[in-house]
Amino acid sequence: MSYRESATHPGSRWAGVGLVALLAADVAILARAWWMSARGLDLTDEGMYLTWMTSPWDWPWASTQFAFFFHPLWELLGQDLVLTRRITVALLLLAGAGFFAAVLRRAFGLGRARSLLTGALLAPSVLLAVGSQSVFFTPSYNMLGMFGLLAAGAALAGMLLPGPRDAGRHQLRHWPWVLLGLGGVLCFASRPTAGALLLVIVILALLVAGTWFWKGIGIAAGTAVAAFLAMALAIDGNPVTFVERVLEGLHLYSLQTQRSALDALVNTFTYDLNWQQADIVWGAGLAVLLAAAVLLRRAGRLAPAALVAVCVAAAGAAVWAGVAGATPLTGRVGRSATVAFFLWAGVTVASLVAARGMGRRAVAAVGALWLLPFAYAFATHYSTVALAGSAAFCWLASSLVGVGAVAKGERSLPAVGAVWLLATVLCLNAAAGAAPRQEPLGAQDVPYPLAGRGDVLLSADMARYLDSVAASMADAGFRPGMPVLDLTGESPGLVYHLQARATADSWVIGRYPGSRDRLARELALHTPCERTGESWLLVSPDGARAIDPEVLGDLGIAFPTDYGLVATEAAPKRSGAFTLEVWAPREPADLVAGCLSARR
């Protein structure tokens, strides 16, 4: 068997050892993901995902379409959060296997079976997304963007790199362009800027490659237009309404953030970055190990044993870390970006040195795959650099293209894969120990039927809080399906648990400069007076994200005069630690009438 036939063949005597080592690391990652997916609940971002997926047509504006895409799956699984997380992970792994198979087949000329096998072994590295601290296992616009990137990345590899020699005459030669069109629409659906920047990356890649595939470009454009029209018709019935809704969603976001274009550009690369020495040291150390693995491929008779030793050591460390839950990483938002960047740099620099130059197409593929995460992450209020780390699987693919340009580079594949899998476990463990706005996942062991659906393991104080608020509101006459306006600015997960209909938005988000202005516009233009007047209020006088109930005065509703206090509860320490007040409307009909009068 030639080296070109197997990405896991550093030598006939060692091939099986490398396979077993990678498989063991994969099992450790999957076991860790299974354990994590059963635990925890973030009442803010994750709560918004749940609320929005439950009733995606309740809010006639949005720049992201993730809720419409994931709503069928959410309902099919009975809104069981743990089961939904696990199915989402399975789908992500399947897409990841296809993505890596496409890259490996083009970069190394592997056979189909070997490409799929090796791609499947590398697929768990896509779970670096969750290790970034900005993405959950739960379906979201970030998760939809992940699927878009996997499709677009596979397409770029297929477009830019030459096909394998064993490809038959009747192969589907245009599959990369069809996949590019579909991936572009998925990226656009996750956030419009991602779709637009993907187009820029494709143009740059074609310019660097020095070849314009006009027929392929036409196929990709036609596929994208057809997919876009199908999406618009399925969601809104016609593309005009769809575009109007997206534009209004973008306007609301601009109103909320109140940032100029320059502010957005600067903020997206600087916001909330806090580099940690431990992340840098470990990232740099693993990068040196990877560079050595690339260079060791030419170590003569010692090469197979040395490379498998690196593979076994990294995979063994991944297994141990997965079982023990240990990690040396400490960064909150930038750990995946920090570690993954060093890993990419170590492999790519070593490959460039060893290859002594790459062809234009290979350079274009390396650059395009490296840029993809930034297209996905740009123009959010979150840090672009940190969020790009959640799509670091593209950087692994970029480095693999570099290794493929090196003579006998396939010898290094098992070692490269094992080190990336080790980084994945370490980042996952760090995420489990610093879960956003909640206790560490290891401290969450109380089974709780969220929204009356399947059980999820929560901390004792979170379970107490959800139970107490729901019981108090039920005693005061609240029933599932009744509307709730969340003015805490951070409790969409509580709204979901109450099985309420969220008024004004899936998440009335607080603490932004324009939070009040956004809510005022949503109430005035997009929310029926019947919904507003009948809504119960969640208020947090001492909350960091609280929105002043005086905004209701624009609709002729007076707070607190028109409401009665029915419950007071203390939110969990890690979930805001504010005092929650629940207010019920005294005379809903009067509030509806007042709202209608104020709108005339």
Side-chain angles (χ1 to χ4, degrees):
M1 183 185 295
S2 70
Y3 286 124
R4 285 285 173 184
E5 276 299 300
S6 175
T8 54
H9 191 57
S12 57
R13 292 179 301 171
W14 302 102
V17 178
L19 277 173
V20 172
L22 289 176
L23 185 59
D26 287 342
V27 171
I29 293 173
L30 297 181
R32 195 63 176 160
W34 183 273
W35 180 86
M36 291 175 66
S37 63
R39 290 165 166 78
L41 173 68
D42 169 41
L43 292 179
T44 53
D45 293 73
E46 190 175 27
M48 181 266 284
Y49 306 149
L50 305 183
T51 300
W52 208 340
M53 283 193 299
T54 300
S55 305
W57 281 273
D58 267 9
W59 303 283
W61 60 89
S63 59
T64 176
Q65 316 306 317
F66 84 91
F68 299 101
F69 276 79
F70 290 115
H71 172 72
L73 177 67
W74 181 234
E75 293 299 323
L76 178 65
L77 299 178
Q79 296 186 27
D80 185 319
L81 178 58
V82 173
L83 180 59
T84 300
R85 288 170 173 170
R86 288 171 174 169
I87 294 298
T88 302
V89 168
L91 294 174
L92 196 61
L93 291 171
L94 285 173
F99 166 73
F100 283 115
V103 172
L104 292 167
R105 183 159 166 76
R106 291 304 177 105
F108 295 93
L110 304 181
R112 290 186 178 88
R114 292 295 180 179
S115 296
L116 287 172
L117 171 62
T118 312
L121 291 172
L122 296 179
S125 65
V126 300
L127 298 184
L128 265 170
V130 180
S132 75
Q133 194 67 26
S134 59
V135 180
F136 303 86
F137 288 116
T138 304
S140 65
Y141 52 84
N142 287 321
M143 194 64 75
L144 182 61
M146 295 291 171
F147 285 106
L149 286 191
L150 289 167
L156 283 167
M159 290 160 42
L160 298 171
L161 300 175
R165 295 179 180 179
D166 70 340
R169 181 175 298 178
H170 301 293
Q171 65 170 329
L172 299 176
R173 291 183 296 174
H174 302 305
W175 69 263
W177 301 98
V178 173
L179 196 58
L180 178 64
L182 295 175
V185 171
L186 288 178
C187 286
F188 176 87
S190 69
R191 54 172 70 90
T193 52
L197 289 175
L198 173 61
L199 177 60
V200 173
I201 290 174
V202 170
I203 293 173
L204 290 175
L206 292 175
L207 286 173
V208 172
T211 305
W212 288 90
F213 307 93
W214 294 109
K215 183 176 181 180
I217 292 172
I219 292 172
T223 302
V225 169
F228 176 84
L229 290 175
M231 175 176 64
L233 291 172
I235 294 174
D236 290 301
N238 68 82
V240 175
T241 302
F242 178 88
V243 172
E244 289 175 345
R245 184 168 56 80
V246 170
L247 291 175
E248 174 64 5
L250 292 172
H251 176 70
L252 287 170
Y253 181 74
S254 176
L255 192 66
Q256 169 189 311
T257 59
Q258 296 188 358
R259 298 186 306 187
S260 67
L262 179 60
D263 289 338
L265 181 62
V266 173
N267 183 83
T268 196
F269 283 104
T270 59
Y271 176 78
D272 203 23
L273 285 181
N274 183 17
W275 307 114
Q276 297 293 314
Q277 182 178 2
D279 300 350
I280 295 173
V281 170
W282 275 88
L286 292 176
V288 171
L289 181 62
L290 283 179
V294 174
L295 300 177
L296 276 173
R297 80 197 191 288
R298 299 300 294 269
R301 293 183 178 181
L302 294 177
L307 287 169
V308 169
V310 173
C311 176
V312 171
V319 172
W320 174 81
V323 173
T327 182
L329 307 181
T330 57
R332 188 175 69 85
V333 297
R335 59 173 167 266
S336 287
T338 303
V339 174
F341 175 78
F342 277 109
L343 296 185
W344 171 83
V347 175
T348 304
V349 171
S351 298
L352 287 171
V353 171
R356 298 178 182 178
M358 294 183 185
R360 293 183 64 177
R361 287 193 177 188
V363 171
V366 169
L369 288 167
W370 186 80
L371 285 173
L372 273 184
F374 294 98
Y376 148 82
F378 183 72
T380 66
H381 191 77
Y382 201 74
S383 164
T384 292
V385 177
L387 188 57
S390 66
F393 53 81
C394 291
W395 296 345
L396 169 55
S398 173
S399 66
L400 291 177
V401 174
V403 175
V406 175
K408 299 183 179 180
E410 66 275 7
R411 289 185 171 188
S412 302
L413 271 176
V416 171
V419 174
W420 273 86
L421 294 175
L422 170 59
T424 301
V425 174
L426 297 181
C427 287
L428 284 175
N429 287 346
R437 296 170 292 272
Q438 55 190 295
E439 297 291 334
L441 296 187
Q444 306 200 47
D445 54 7
V446 178
Y448 190 81
L450 186 66
R453 310 287 181 168
D455 283 355
V456 59
L457 297 176
L458 302 178
S459 62
D461 61 341
M462 178 67 79
R464 174 206 57 79
Y465 176 65
L466 295 177
D467 222 23
S468 182
V469 174
S472 297
M473 291 180 66
D475 291 343
F478 183 84
R479 297 293 179 266
M482 295 175 68
V484 168
L485 175 58
D486 171 28
L487 295 176
T488 69
E490 52 185 315
S491 302
L494 178 57
V495 175
Y496 170 74
H497 175 63
L498 296 170
Q499 302 178 58
R501 298 188 67 186
T503 298
D505 208 338
S506 56
W507 178 8
V508 179
I509 188 170
R511 203 166 60 183
Y512 281 82
S515 290
R516 196 265 185 205
D517 295 337
R518 171 174 178 143
L519 176 58
R521 180 178 177 87
E522 289 172 333
L523 289 172
L525 299 182
H526 302 305
T527 308
C529 281
E530 290 75 15
R531 176 82 66 86
T532 303
E534 295 172 359
S535 293
W536 290 47
L537 306 183
L538 303 180
V539 179
S540 57
D542 57 346
R545 290 177 173 266
I547 299 175
D548 197 326
E550 60 79 26
V551 68
L552 295 170
D554 297 350
L555 300 175
I557 298 175
F559 178 88
T561 306
D562 293 332
Y563 295 86
L565 180 64
V566 300
T568 302
E569 298 293 341
K573 181 179 180 180
R574 293 178 180 263
S575 299
F578 54 80
T579 300
L580 175 72
E581 296 179 352
V582 181
W583 297 77
R586 297 184 188 277
E587 296 293 341
D590 291 345
L591 302 189
V592 172
C595 174
L596 292 171
S597 177
R599 284 186 174 181
R600 293 194 184 101

